[in-house]
């Protein structure tokens, strides 16, 4: 993936958005546009309805409202969750960040449910419950999450500095939530809770808008370093809060221009093939957040700033469907999850698929739609829940079969996904990961591969364990799930892979065919020719000697057979094995003669490696994130390779 190493200073960047919109995205043009319209009409253009718009709320999805009402009535008799100082301090004291985040999330979800029910019913009880939630959040010392707060690093204090709030993902989420709640319930609160809306504006102003406008040292703005998914996630929430809460059109224009110039820096990092090096999990809170910000801009400018015209958008939108293995299973890399949580904001993809008239994207999103089930949940936040509730097309959408492309090759991240027949995940699916070890949320996975049968992965990437203080520290690669030794890669001399952008794979010979076919940086279409494999030089992924080398090729031979060929040349190891091959399996694992059989339910594969018999090492999982995906255990297959030079073919076959 292309990453700018030396970002331009504020106000000077000219990226893909500027190439598309030019001076229309700068402050003078926006000031003229917004002043002529006025903030009240801009708020109407967002498409977010107030509680007074009875037609919208009377038509809202009943299954979603029933679920929300059941959960809200259950929790209303309980005290609001309490993210205590002791929980906040745990990040510094013992590395735990989950307990505090869970308490804050419970507050926000409860407020989301109460706000929706208040808008639907306009009942005093729910209007009051939502007001209570607003005050609870406004009285919370910080909206920043413990792992992101700057105070301890700056002063050594355990508690956040309320005079210098940190604008992070959590603060942006709360600001947008309060702004949408104000939009929905403002008229009701004016009557029943005079002064509440002023409190919302004060807190959002102090904690979010002023820091955003005044601080150039916020790293995620992209002025001093490269950006990641924080950029569109925070910027989209800041824009939404600003348009819903500000009454000064000139100030909104100034703020929007700053946000657009920063967002352009994120867009500039995205490759033409639409790949996200953080994987599908982070697509929802990176690329999808960018799409939501672009949608908001298009709405408030009546299409004057239309992100759909950006060529990159179409490929970006197709990335998740290209990674689908089957049902809720996806190719995962880095900190990504192999299995969907089920609460993703599918309406975002559905809406954009309709905007671009991309039937495959629409069908992929509809594949997650379940008749009689909620259109969205409170876990995705109030803005996303309301968008899904008021989208009649999404409410009426019926399930469809996902597209399951036959062949995908994403050169920017060197990811190959292939199956025998398009639209059919029933046989074997092979996914290969090249790339480098400097990618965002990176695990040491250069040269790894996954194998799924019937859409269910059996040779797997472990994925993301629960985040702690260690996760994004110098000790990151001390975490087992992030080590190359627990990925499906070789270990020459038993070594771990190296770290950084310069540590990676090189494609040998011709790259594989697959969608999108990218020429000169432009995605030009779909190719379905016969080539079904890739050859990678993995030498650069390890600290090897000058004359040492490791090559690996991958081929989907048929719907029931995959071959992985490792060829190496190493210095003699003095009697110890020259190298090991590692495979990580999910399911019941047994050695049968010189083969290994991996079975999960009615799906199974057999693995052979030129007669070499592996040792099996069981990993009894105790991390809730990993257990939610894989169950109680994973198993590592460790194949010793005795000779300093040689070749071995690993064959994976489907077992009926």
């Amino acid at each position: 993936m292309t990453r700018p190493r030396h970002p331009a200073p504020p106000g000077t960047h000219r990226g893909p958005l500027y190439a598309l919109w030019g001076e229309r995205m700068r402050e003078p043009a926006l000031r003229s546009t917004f002043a002529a319209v006025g903030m009240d009409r801009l708020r109407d253009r967002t498409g977010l309805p107030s509680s007074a718009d009875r037609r919208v709320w009377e038509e809202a999805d009943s299954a979603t409202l029933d679920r929300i009402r059941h959960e809200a009535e259950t929790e209303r008799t309980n005290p609001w969750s309490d993210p205590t100082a002791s929980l906040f301090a745990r990040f510094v004291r013992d590395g735990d960040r989950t307990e505090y985040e869970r308490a804050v999330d419970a507050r926000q979800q409860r407020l989301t449910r109460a706000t929706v029910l208040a808008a639907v019913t306009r009942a005093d009880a729910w209007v009051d419950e939502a007001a209570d939630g607003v005050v609870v959040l406004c009285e919370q010392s910080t909206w920043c999450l413990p792992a992101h707060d700057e105070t301890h690093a700056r002063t050594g204090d355990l508690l956040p500095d309320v005079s210098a709030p940190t604008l992070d993902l959590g603060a942006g989420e709360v600001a947008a939530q309060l702004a949408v709640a104000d939009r929905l319930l403002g008229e009701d609160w004016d009557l029943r809770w005079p002064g509440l809306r002023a409190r919302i504006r004060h807190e959002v102003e102090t904690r979010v808008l002023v820091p955003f406008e005044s601080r150039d040292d916020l790293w995620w703005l992209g002025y001093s370093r490269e950006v990641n998914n924080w950029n569109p996630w925070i910027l989209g929430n800041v824009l939404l809060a600003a348009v819903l809460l500000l009454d000064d059109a000139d100030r909104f224009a100034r703020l929007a221009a700053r946000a657009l110039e920063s967002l352009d820096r994120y867009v500039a990092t995205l490759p033409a093939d639409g790949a996200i090096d953080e994987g599908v999990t982070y697509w929802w809170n990176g690329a999808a957040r960018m799409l939501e910000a672009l949608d908001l801009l298009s709405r408030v400018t009546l299409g004057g700033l239309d992100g759909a015209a950006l060529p990159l958008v179409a490929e970006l939108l197709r990335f998740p469907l290209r990674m689908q293995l089957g049902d809720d299973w996806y190719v995962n890399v880095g900190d990504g999850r192999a299995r969907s949580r089920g609460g993703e904001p599918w309406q975002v993809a559905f809406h954009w698929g309709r905007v671009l008239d991309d039937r495959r994207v629409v069908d992929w999103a509809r594949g997650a739609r379940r008749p009689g089930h909620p259109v969205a949940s409170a876990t995705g936040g109030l803005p996303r829940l309301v968008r899904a509730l008021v989208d009649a097309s999404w409410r009426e959408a019926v399930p469809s079969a996902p597209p399951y492309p036959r062949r995908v090759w994403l050169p920017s991240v060197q990811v190959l996904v292939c199956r025998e027949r398009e639209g059919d995940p029933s046989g074997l699916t092979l996914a290969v990961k090249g790339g480098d070890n400097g990618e965002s949320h990176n695990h040491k996975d250069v040269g790894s591969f996954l194998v799924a049968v019937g859409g269910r992965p059996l040779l797997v990437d472990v994925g993301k364990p629960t985040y702690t203080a260690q996760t994004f520290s110098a000790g990151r690669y001390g975490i087992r799930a992030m080590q190359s030794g627990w990925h499906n890669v070789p270990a020459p001399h038993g070594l771990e892979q190296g770290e950084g952008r310069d540590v990676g794979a090189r494609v040998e010979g011709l790259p594989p065919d697959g969608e999108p076919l990218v020429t000169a940086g432009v995605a030009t279409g779909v190719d379905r020719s016969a080539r079904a494999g890739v050859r990678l030089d993995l030498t650069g992924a390890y600290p090897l000697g000058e004359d040492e080398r490791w090559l690996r090729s991958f081929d989907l031979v048929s719907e029931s057979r995959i071959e992985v060929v490792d060829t190496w040349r190493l210095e003699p190891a003095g009697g110890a094995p020259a190298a090991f091959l590692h495979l990580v399996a999910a399911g019941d694992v047994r050695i049968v003669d010189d083969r290994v059989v991996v079975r999960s339910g009615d799906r199974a594969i057999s693995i052979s490696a030129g007669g070499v018999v592996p040792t099996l090492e069981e990993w009894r999982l105790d991390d809730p994130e990993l257990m939610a995906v894989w169950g109680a255990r994973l198993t590592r297959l460790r194949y010793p390779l005795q000779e300093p030079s040689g070749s071995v073919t690993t064959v994976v076959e489907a077992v009926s």
Side-chain angles (χ1 to χ4, degrees):
M1 180 180 291
T2 302
R3 306 179 181 92
R5 290 180 179 271
H6 302 290
T12 63
H13 183 77
R14 297 188 174 189
L17 293 182
Y18 187 86
L20 179 64
W21 296 329
E23 291 300 309
R24 286 179 292 156
M25 63 182 274
R26 299 305 196 204
E27 184 181 340
L30 293 175
R31 187 187 307 120
S32 176
T33 298
F34 296 156
V37 176
M39 294 305 297
D40 285 340
R41 288 175 61 192
L42 290 178
R43 283 189 267 277
D44 290 339
R45 288 179 179 181
T46 66
L48 296 167
S50 76
S51 61
D53 192 341
R54 299 316 304 159
R55 179 189 58 82
V56 172
W57 295 108
E58 288 166 1
E59 294 177 357
D61 181 66
S62 60
T64 308
L65 297 180
D66 288 345
R67 174 72 62 81
I68 290 172
R69 181 175 287 104
H70 171 74
E71 294 172 344
E73 288 177 344
T74 300
E75 66 193 353
R76 190 169 58 169
T77 58
N78 299 323
W80 287 78
S81 62
D82 190 6
T84 62
S86 294
L87 291 179
F88 191 93
R90 285 193 64 184
F91 181 74
V92 172
R93 288 174 169 168
D94 63 21
D96 181 272
R97 53 187 283 180
T98 301
E99 292 303 314
Y100 182 88
E101 291 180 11
R102 185 178 290 126
V104 169
D105 191 50
R107 283 184 167 185
Q108 291 185 253
Q109 288 191 38
R110 181 169 174 175
L111 173 57
T112 289
R113 287 186 280 266
T115 300
V116 169
L117 287 179
V120 171
T121 66
R122 305 195 87 172
D124 289 348
W126 291 117
V127 172
D128 291 353
E129 170 83 349
D132 284 344
V134 166
V135 174
V136 162
L137 285 176
C138 287
E139 293 184 347
Q140 195 171 292
S141 294
T142 180
W143 293 344
C144 177
L145 301 176
H148 308 153
D149 187 73
E150 301 165 335
T151 306
H152 181 72
R154 189 177 68 246
T155 69
D157 292 346
L158 277 179
L159 297 178
D161 181 354
V162 297
S163 67
T166 301
L167 176 47
D168 77 326
L169 300 174
E173 280 287 288
V174 175
Q177 179 183 32
L178 294 181
V180 173
D182 180 87
R183 171 64 177 172
L184 270 57
L185 303 182
E187 296 177 34
D188 303 283
W189 283 336
D190 279 341
L191 294 173
R192 191 165 175 80
W193 288 92
L196 181 64
R197 301 179 74 192
R199 178 69 184 277
I200 289 173
R201 281 156 177 76
H202 169 75
E203 298 295 344
V204 173
E205 173 81 6
T206 303
R207 301 175 192 237
V208 173
L209 298 185
V210 169
F212 175 69
E213 290 178 306
S214 62
R215 289 187 57 182
D216 289 345
D217 64 328
L218 297 169
W219 67 265
W220 49 265
L221 289 170
Y223 301 152
S224 59
R225 54 169 274 194
E226 63 199 38
V227 296
N228 61 12
N229 69 309
W230 278 48
N231 176 278
W233 193 344
I234 298 175
L235 291 174
N237 281 327
V238 168
L239 280 168
L240 184 58
V243 72
L244 294 178
L245 297 178
L246 292 180
D247 291 318
D248 182 343
D250 285 350
R251 187 182 179 201
F252 177 55
R254 183 170 65 251
L255 187 149
R258 180 174 173 85
L260 280 172
E261 199 261 357
S262 178
L263 183 65
D264 206 9
R265 298 167 188 265
Y266 173 78
V267 177
T269 69
L270 301 174
D273 59 20
I276 298 296
D277 64 358
E278 299 168 304
V280 173
T281 300
Y282 284 87
W283 185 91
W284 290 108
N285 281 320
R289 295 286 183 175
M290 182 198 82
L291 294 174
E292 289 170 299
L294 293 178
D295 181 62
L296 178 63
L297 291 163
S298 180
R299 288 174 185 269
V300 298
T301 62
L302 295 182
L305 298 179
D306 181 13
L310 191 69
L312 166 69
V313 166
E315 298 306 333
L316 196 66
L317 196 57
R318 295 168 187 148
F319 173 70
L321 71 85
R322 289 170 170 158
M323 297 296 102
Q324 189 173 18
L325 294 172
D327 296 331
D328 52 356
W329 294 99
Y330 286 81
V331 176
N332 63 309
V333 297
D335 279 346
R337 283 171 57 97
R339 197 167 196 175
S340 163
R341 294 181 186 272
E344 290 78 4
W346 298 98
Q347 182 270 341
V348 176
F350 176 81
H351 167 73
W352 272 92
R354 285 166 54 84
V355 168
L356 297 184
D357 195 24
D358 190 323
R359 176 49 52 187
R360 293 199 309 163
V361 173
V362 171
D363 286 347
W364 170 68
R366 287 169 55 211
R369 190 73 182 92
R370 299 291 182 267
H373 288 246
V375 296
S377 74
T379 60
L382 182 60
R384 284 176 159 178
L385 175 57
V386 174
R387 289 278 187 218
L389 273 172
V390 302
D391 186 340
S393 296
W394 176 237
R395 181 176 68 241
E396 296 164 4
V398 296
S400 64
Y404 296 120
R406 179 173 177 237
R407 194 81 39 74
V408 173
W409 169 244
L410 301 174
S412 67
V413 288
Q414 297 179 352
V415 168
L416 171 72
V417 184
C418 51
R419 52 180 59 87
E420 187 70 13
R421 291 182 299 276
E422 184 155 351
D424 182 4
S426 61
L428 292 179
T429 301
L430 169 67
V432 177
K433 166 70 171 62
D436 64 64
N437 280 336
E439 294 162 345
S440 189
H441 289 269
N442 182 71
H443 292 193
K444 293 182 177 180
D445 57 2
V446 173
S448 189
F449 69 103
L450 313 177
V451 175
V453 59
R456 206 288 190 194
L458 294 182
L459 290 183
V460 307
D461 185 302
V462 176
K464 167 190 170 296
T466 301
Y467 282 164
T468 68
Q470 184 181 359
T471 306
F472 298 104
S473 72
R476 177 178 178 85
Y477 294 114
I479 300 171
R480 176 182 286 187
M482 302 176 186
Q483 299 167 356
S484 62
W486 281 87
H487 284 80
N488 300 326
V489 299
H493 303 304
L495 293 170
E496 276 282 302
Q497 293 184 356
E499 303 173 25
R501 290 179 181 169
D502 297 329
V503 175
R506 182 169 57 87
V507 177
E508 286 273 300
L510 294 174
D513 295 312
E515 63 170 271
L517 188 62
V518 177
T519 304
V522 178
T524 58
V526 176
D527 184 272
R528 294 185 174 86
S529 55
R531 193 174 167 83
V534 63
R535 181 177 171 89
L536 300 176
D537 185 343
L538 303 185
T539 306
Y542 301 89
L544 297 180
E546 183 177 351
D547 295 326
E548 296 184 308
R549 197 173 189 204
W550 199 287
L551 299 176
R552 177 170 255 199
S553 66
F554 309 82
D555 282 289
L556 176 67
V557 178
S558 71
E559 66 175 332
S560 60
R561 183 181 177 93
I562 290 168
E563 294 181 359
V564 179
V565 180
D566 286 281
T567 304
W568 66 93
R569 182 179 68 246
L570 304 172
E571 293 297 324
F580 295 90
L581 294 182
H582 292 145
L583 298 176
V584 180
D588 178 67
V589 181
R590 301 188 181 187
I591 296 177
V592 181
D593 298 325
D594 63 349
R595 292 173 175 260
V596 174
V597 176
V598 182
R599 185 178 300 277
S600 179
D602 60 353
R603 297 173 175 88
I605 55 174
S606 71
I607 308 162
S608 60
V612 181
V613 178
T615 58
L616 303 183
E617 182 179 350
E618 189 176 85
W619 180 1
R620 301 293 298 185
L621 300 177
D622 58 5
D623 183 284
E625 287 262 5
L626 297 181
M627 293 174 69
V629 176
W630 304 119
R633 69 184 185 279
L634 292 168
T635 304
R636 181 169 72 168
L637 286 59
R638 199 164 195 244
Y639 293 87
L641 304 177
Q642 300 295 338
E643 300 301 322
S645 298
S647 179
V648 65
T649 300
T650 302
V651 177
V652 182
E653 294 179 293
V655 176
S656 28

